[in-house]
Amino acid sequence: MTGLTADSLALLIAATLNAGTVVALAALGLLINERSGVVNLGAEGMMLVAAVAGFATGVHTGSDGLAFAAGAAAGAALALLFGVLVIWLNTNQYATGLALSLFGAGVSAFAGIRYTQERLPERPHFEIPVLSDLPFVGVALFKQHPLVYGAMALAAGLAWMLLKSRAGLVLRAVGESPESAHALGYAVRPIRLAAVMTGGALCGVAGAYISVVYTPLWVEGMVAGKGWIALALTTFATWRPARVLLGAYLFGGVTMLQFHLQGQGVDIPSQWLTMLPYLATIVVLVLISRNPTWIRLNMPASLGKPFHPGA
């Protein structure tokens, strides 16, 4: 086994940012959901449907932008269905989310049958002029897809919005005490639906990113649990965007590290290496769960609780 050279380290960092972007986009979307008081366990299903929608659009149009738009639309449409059921019809949020995840897995498998052998047209190579030519950091940081930087900007913008803007204050009020927000004249149900659909659209973009950029092909079940990791990440990050981004890159780093170790011929069964990113997520969650007070202090007070305007 050879050591980790500067070039391979730069490539590992670049791959970490790429892999982490998938989870970061989905987790930031779910954070918006949960800040409004709604838990959506259907992220995996939404990402799968968005992945096949984005890939199919990319195959037929050759446009990354349209592919991401199709993924966002697919995620938002499923989120709309979920939102109507849990916000207006008051179905159980956890059961409905699980049903949505199973529904998305089935629909994507059926819709994707004809695309399993398809290939995307040649895609442009992205890099930031001048900066991409710098030694080490050019390869590590400045040759990424624009959505990698978009995820970073989204985390920063969302952190500002939640803490500094009126819209963020209203969203947090709806998640903390919907009865009080309703008494002040805010339309709690439409606000929650808007948050759910925004979160669904971001999960959709994450799903499309997987099939268009991360692994540009369609394979049934290709999201491979990243929706569930994103869901766990919101708790790991205690509902804070910057921590979501950090956790996503941690997951991406461990994912890419296992590929690097396999490539270096490390004498560890591949099944154990494949488990690494998921095992790391479980360990972090267990450590956080040892301090339930910390979770309660940061968790939206009405998370997962239905709201009845007439009550």
Side-chain angles (χ1 to χ4, degrees):
M1 183 178 113
T2 59
L4 189 65
T5 65
D7 287 343
S8 59
L9 179 59
L11 291 171
L12 180 61
I13 293 172
T16 293
L17 296 177
N18 188 30
T21 295
V22 174
V23 182
L25 288 169
L28 289 170
L30 294 173
L31 184 146
I32 295 172
N33 280 10
E34 296 186 10
R35 280 289 194 169
S36 75
V38 179
V39 178
N40 187 353
L41 300 184
E44 186 84 1
M46 292 189 295
M47 290 173 71
L48 280 166
V49 173
V52 70
F55 184 77
T57 303
V59 166
H60 292 298
T61 68
S63 168
D64 278 14
L66 290 176
F68 291 128
L78 288 178
L80 172 62
L81 173 63
F82 170 83
V84 169
L85 289 172
V86 303
I87 297 171
W88 268 273
L89 301 182
N90 292 318
T91 60
N92 183 278
Q93 293 184 17
Y94 301 96
T96 306
L98 287 172
L100 179 63
S101 189
L102 295 172
F103 174 75
V107 168
S108 64
F110 176 75
I113 291 174
R114 63 159 295 191
Y115 292 102
T116 52
Q117 302 299 322
E118 296 284 350
R119 292 292 179 268
L120 290 169
E122 190 69 25
R123 297 176 52 254
H125 177 69
F126 296 101
E127 59 180 40
I128 298 177
V130 181
L131 294 178
S132 62
D133 296 326
L134 295 173
F136 187 79
V137 293
V139 173
L141 303 177
F142 300 118
K143 292 187 176 182
Q144 301 286 350
H145 189 278
L147 264 184
V148 173
Y149 310 115
M152 298 176 187
L154 176 64
L158 188 56
W160 176 86
M161 189 271 284
L162 288 172
L163 293 176
K164 302 292 185 180
S165 73
R166 181 179 178 84
L169 177 63
V170 171
L171 183 68
R172 289 190 291 123
V174 167
E176 293 291 339
S177 178
E179 293 81 9
S180 299
H182 177 69
L184 290 171
Y186 293 110
V188 171
R189 283 177 163 177
I191 290 171
R192 282 188 164 181
L193 182 62
V196 166
M197 290 184 67
T198 301
L202 286 173
C203 285
V205 172
Y209 187 88
I210 293 175
S211 62
V212 175
V213 178
Y214 184 61
T215 51
L217 50 82
W218 165 252
V219 177
E220 181 182 340
M222 69 184 303
V223 174
K226 292 181 179 64
W228 298 109
I229 295 294
L231 191 67
L233 196 54
T234 57
T235 303
F236 159 73
T238 57
W239 296 272
R240 299 188 182 184
R243 293 178 183 176
V244 164
L245 197 64
L246 177 64
Y249 291 145
L250 174 64
F251 175 81
V254 177
T255 301
M256 291 300 107
L257 181 61
Q258 55 111 352
F259 289 130
H260 176 77
L261 293 176
Q262 288 177 6
Q264 292 294 314
V266 174
D267 190 21
I268 300 175
S270 61
Q271 292 85 354
W272 283 100
L273 291 175
T274 304
M275 286 170 54
L276 269 179
Y278 305 97
L279 189 61
T281 303
I282 292 171
V283 169
V284 169
L285 287 173
V286 168
L287 292 174
I288 289 175
S289 298
R290 294 178 63 187
N291 189 357
T293 304
W294 192 46
I295 295 291
R296 283 197 300 270
L297 287 174
N298 290 279
M299 182 178 69
S302 295
L303 184 62
K305 299 176 182 177
F307 170 67
H308 307 281

